[in-house]
Amino acid sequence: MIEMLQWTTLIASGAAALSRIPNLVRRKNRSIFYALALLTLAILLSIRGPYLAIDTLLGGINVANLLLRFIIFGAILFLALRIAAGFGDSRGIQLIQGRAGMLALGVISAVLVVCFVLMDTSGSSAGLVDVAAKNQQNALLVEYYGAAGRAYPAFVCLAILPGMLRAVGRPLPALLRVSAALLAVGSIAIPLTLLFPVIPPPLGFLRFVVNYTAILCFVIGLALIWVASGRAGRRRGALSVERRSLPRR
């Protein structure tokens, strides 16, 4: 079930990224394509088979995991800025791009790299499971490393969450309000990942459910925005044609 959820999310994200290629060629909203492309790559690296194959090519010391963390940082940053801009959330943009956002990114990135360097990361291991099992110090460092990897996406999502909640209650087209609701669910799910260390092993599957639910909410929410924008464009076009066809007095 978990593997099917992973591949389903990968296909959905990849399809969404491919659908943005025409806009990429026209140099329109290119950041959305970059965000979805990074997100697709992150999902690919989170699946055991592709992760082991890629990390082996990179030397077999789990550099792919560190790369995955920074890819997620970039994807969530691009997505959040575009989403906030689309819904007119200037406060969210300021929180992410301002001093607080840059400080959070810098400190968390430094902690991430330091933890990785201090660990014995030899031997490719999806999720660093085998790395944590080597000794107690490694196990502790893996916990800190994982917490740092989840902290920045959580910060970004909490920054845009109020804007998404406000958008749900605004007099917007139904598709946009549904989109805002899905994006709000995704923005709530990501901070919940900070609670992963307290999830008991028998309920470990909840980690995958929360992660991939968040991703699907973001991808589907963005897709609904594009559908709503397309409908609005067609309506404006039809209205323009109708006005030109009216007889002049």
Side-chain angles (χ1 to χ4, degrees):
M1 176 183 175
I2 291 174
E3 187 174 350
M4 184 173 67
L5 179 61
Q6 290 176 314
W7 285 104
T8 299
T9 308
L10 176 65
I11 292 169
S13 180
L18 289 174
S19 72
R20 303 302 298 176
I21 289 179
N23 277 3
L24 177 68
V25 174
R26 294 196 295 266
R27 298 187 177 184
K28 180 181 178 183
N29 290 331
R30 288 176 292 176
S31 60
I32 296 180
F33 170 80
Y34 299 144
L36 289 171
L38 288 173
L39 192 59
T40 302
L41 181 56
I43 298 167
L44 182 67
L45 281 173
S46 69
I47 301 174
R48 187 175 186 275
Y51 174 85
L52 294 177
I54 293 171
D55 190 65
T56 299
L57 291 174
L58 295 175
I61 57 172
N62 291 294
V63 171
N65 193 284
L66 184 62
L67 182 63
L68 168 62
R69 301 293 179 172
F70 283 111
I71 289 172
I72 291 173
F73 286 6
I76 202 72
L77 177 62
F78 276 127
L79 281 174
L81 289 175
R82 290 307 307 166
I83 290 168
F87 285 97
D89 181 17
S90 57
R91 178 171 175 76
I93 294 173
Q94 179 58 34
L95 277 173
I96 296 169
Q97 289 188 324
R99 182 176 298 177
M102 293 300 100
L103 181 63
L105 178 58
V107 170
I108 291 170
S109 296
V111 171
L112 197 68
V113 172
V114 169
C115 288
F116 184 85
V117 170
L118 292 176
M119 285 188 286
D120 175 7
T121 59
S122 59
S124 298
S125 173
L128 300 183
V129 175
D130 295 338
V131 172
K134 288 183 177 182
N135 53 58
Q136 188 174 1
Q137 179 181 334
N138 255 24
L140 189 61
L141 286 169
V142 167
E143 286 295 332
Y144 291 148
Y145 174 83
R150 295 186 292 271
Y152 183 68
F155 167 82
V156 171
C157 287
L158 288 174
I160 65 171
L161 178 58
M164 297 304 97
L165 294 176
R166 287 194 298 269
V168 173
R170 285 164 54 189
L172 297 170
L175 277 178
L176 287 180
R177 283 187 282 115
V178 172
S179 170
L182 286 170
L183 295 171
V185 171
S187 298
I188 292 171
I190 294 295
L192 288 178
T193 62
L194 295 174
L195 301 177
F196 280 0
V198 301
I199 295 178
L203 298 178
F205 69 92
L206 290 177
R207 300 180 183 185
F208 291 93
V209 172
V210 171
N211 275 330
Y212 290 98
T213 295
I215 294 170
L216 284 172
C217 283
F218 277 119
V219 172
I220 296 172
L222 286 171
L224 290 179
I225 291 176
W226 302 331
V227 172
S229 299
R231 286 186 177 181
R234 287 193 294 272
R235 285 174 183 170
R236 285 194 297 269
L239 183 60
S240 177
V241 171
E242 182 179 346
R243 285 176 176 173
R244 287 198 301 268
S245 64
L246 290 175
R248 296 183 180 179
R249 296 182 180 180

